[in-house]
Amino acid sequence: MRDPFANPNNSEARPTQGMAVDVGFTLDWASAEARHRECLFLPWLELERDRWPGDLGAALRGSGAGAVHEASREAAAALVPQEEPDRVLELPASAFNRDLRRHRRVEPRAGRFYPRAFLAGYAGIEAGDRELFRIGALEGDHLVADLNHPLAGHDLRLQARVMARHEVGRDDERTVDVARLLTARGPGMQARWRGRPTDFWADGALGREDPESDAVFYAEPRRVHHLDATARSEIAALYASCIPAGARVLDLMSSWESHLDRVESPEAVIGLGMNAEELADNPRLTSSLVHDLNLRPELPYAAASFDAVVCTASVEYLTQPEAVFRAVREVLRPDGVFMVTFSDRCFPTKAIAAWEPLYDFERMGLVLDVFLRAGFVDLSTFSLRGLPRPPDDLYAGRLGHADPVFAVWGRRP
């Protein structure tokens, strides 16, 4: 899997002891469904003051930019509390407070994550507790609540790369808990609970707030970037790392840019999208076609005619995702790769109803679920968060981080 931190800003290796460092962390693990890599950039960490997993902070002392250290097995395991059977609670279904949110009723779903406040009054949980728990199973009047961290019980591998060093430290008194930033409200949530499918699809999950035809919504060309330059660059690099040279590529739900500029010497890049003018402006496309997948999820291409298919920042708009994924599988050649990338931004009125209520890493779980249902194999997920926002970006003064990148991909058997 790609390492986005492989090229630090400064390769000069001079001592960093007593200074602040920017670090790129890579956390690898596996579930029964897929391989997973989580990448997080954390700037201005102090080796002496901050709380580091195990001996990781000490191991980085004296290291310059470009230095890499893999945490010990014990340090990686200590990122999250150990899995404890007594933290899996069997409760009446009525223990979940469906009316906790004043403006809308929340129905519990098996496999989903919720703040523990929904179980206030049980197992010592207090009102206002925002730590997350998972509903493992929900059958009739019976509920299983798993209070373990979603990474608990998984074999974790943690690597840290010094990206830059600073002569002075932070000018505040805070202490950064590195382990918590690496694991809070995210990694692990994309995996199924004990192999059981998550209930993503109940009660109008594929409906949308705006039911108007997509042809109307996309009638006029937009020619805007939906992600910042850093996120776009990282997506392009990810595609290039997985798509072989000379590939025949289908850019699904394409527009005026394809994020395929780093793929080496593609045989062809075919764009399928909703606006003819945007497709015509895309310099990477060798040909294109206007096609509404929400009306016709089948693909107008011969079976086994592509080496790779990509879908960028659009999967949340599919109202028949499983049918589309099955169609993609059919047009891929054996071992061909389908790559889906997205961020935390979208047009909310056109996204399916299931998308908005989910945490970011649950959204990876939803996409992973569609891959599994559609018969893909050799599945992987990838996340990249925390990179600095480009200084010339429209939101540079308001948002400190670049748009996060989330990806799921798999292959045709």
Side-chain angles (χ1 to χ4, degrees):
M1 242 187 243
R2 177 174 176 265
D3 179 0
F5 304 127
N7 297 304
N9 296 332
N10 175 12
S11 60
E12 185 179 0
R14 291 185 294 183
T16 59
Q17 188 170 1
M19 301 178 183
V21 290
D22 298 344
V23 182
F25 293 93
T26 302
L27 179 65
D28 290 299
W29 60 286
S31 65
E33 301 84 39
R35 297 182 303 275
H36 310 278
R37 170 164 286 184
E38 326 296 358
C39 303
L40 181 65
F41 177 81
L42 294 177
W44 289 92
L45 296 177
E46 295 194 18
L47 298 171
E48 301 290 344
R49 183 201 303 184
D50 293 330
R51 296 176 59 188
W52 294 79
D55 61 351
L56 188 56
L60 292 177
R61 291 172 188 163
S63 299
V68 180
H69 181 77
E70 182 163 337
S72 66
R73 188 181 184 90
E74 294 74 19
L79 284 170
V80 298
Q82 290 187 348
E83 187 174 30
E84 298 181 11
D86 60 2
R87 294 175 68 79
V88 180
L89 311 177
E90 295 192 8
L91 302 171
S94 59
F96 187 91
N97 183 0
R98 291 166 171 80
D99 297 313
L100 182 66
R101 301 266 169 85
R102 287 183 294 177
H103 301 296
R104 65 181 179 91
R105 185 174 173 84
V106 178
E107 291 295 334
R109 302 295 177 200
R112 287 285 318 282
F113 288 85
Y114 304 89
R116 292 182 187 176
F118 278 94
L119 298 179
Y122 291 85
I125 296 172
E126 299 180 355
D129 189 339
R130 299 187 63 191
E131 287 293 320
L132 300 182
F133 80 99
R134 188 174 210 171
I135 295 180
L138 182 63
E139 299 174 0
D141 60 358
H142 177 74
L143 179 151
V144 175
D146 191 343
L147 305 185
N148 287 293
H149 192 282
L151 283 175
H154 292 287
D155 185 18
L156 307 178
R157 178 184 172 187
L158 177 64
Q159 180 179 280
R161 185 186 298 269
V162 177
M163 305 300 293
R165 60 183 186 81
H166 307 283
E167 295 294 336
V168 294
R170 300 188 304 271
D171 58 2
D172 55 44
E173 297 299 322
R174 64 190 174 95
T175 298
V176 175
D177 187 338
V178 175
R180 181 167 179 78
L181 291 179
L182 284 167
T183 60
R185 290 178 172 259
M189 295 170 69
Q190 68 267 50
R192 288 176 168 179
W193 188 79
R194 299 183 179 179
R196 302 185 185 190
T198 299
D199 183 8
F200 290 118
W201 309 110
D203 296 340
L206 294 172
R208 298 188 292 180
E209 182 180 335
D210 178 6
E212 189 174 46
S213 167
D214 287 336
V216 175
F217 187 79
Y218 294 104
E220 298 296 326
R222 297 176 185 271
R223 295 188 186 90
V224 296
H225 292 300
H226 300 294
L227 303 174
D228 69 64
T230 295
R232 299 195 306 271
S233 176
E234 294 296 337
I235 288 172
L238 183 63
Y239 287 160
S241 71
C242 295
I243 298 175
R248 182 176 173 83
V249 185
L250 173 60
D251 183 15
L252 206 64
M253 306 176 81
S254 184
S255 63
W256 66 299
E257 58 179 350
S258 289
H259 312 91
L260 292 166
D261 50 292
R262 300 192 194 180
V263 175
E264 185 179 348
S265 305
E267 175 191 326
V269 177
I270 314 300
L272 187 148
M274 287 295 296
N275 185 277
E277 290 185 51
E278 286 196 24
L279 293 170
D281 286 345
N282 189 325
R284 301 299 302 172
L285 301 182
T286 53
S287 66
S288 63
L289 179 68
V290 173
H291 182 90
D292 188 341
L293 289 170
N294 287 338
L295 289 180
R296 301 184 305 279
E298 67 280 359
L299 293 173
Y301 304 107
S305 57
F306 292 97
D307 301 292
V309 179
V310 300
C311 179
T312 309
S314 297
V315 68
E316 62 268 31
Y317 306 123
L318 289 173
T319 59
Q320 302 181 69
E322 186 176 339
V324 172
F325 277 46
R326 289 184 181 278
V328 169
R329 190 190 66 186
E330 291 306 308
V331 302
L332 278 172
R333 293 166 180 159
D335 201 41
V337 63
F338 180 27
M339 305 190 70
V340 175
T341 56
F342 54 93
S343 189
D344 59 355
R345 299 165 60 184
C346 68
F347 297 118
T349 61
K350 300 304 283 187
I352 59 172
W355 191 261
E356 279 291 289
L358 299 177
Y359 294 100
D360 287 335
F361 281 75
E362 285 186 295
R363 291 171 179 170
M364 278 206 291
L366 181 147
V367 177
L368 184 60
D369 185 73
V370 184
F371 270 98
L372 289 163
R373 291 171 179 269
F376 285 85
V377 298
D378 193 20
L379 298 170
S380 300
T381 77
F382 173 88
S383 67
L384 174 58
R385 301 171 294 153
L387 289 176
R389 200 165 193 89
D392 59 349
D393 185 81
L394 176 64
Y395 300 101
R398 287 176 280 173
L399 299 175
H401 299 151
D403 295 323
V405 172
F406 304 100
V408 185
W409 65 91
R411 298 184 180 275
R412 176 176 175 168

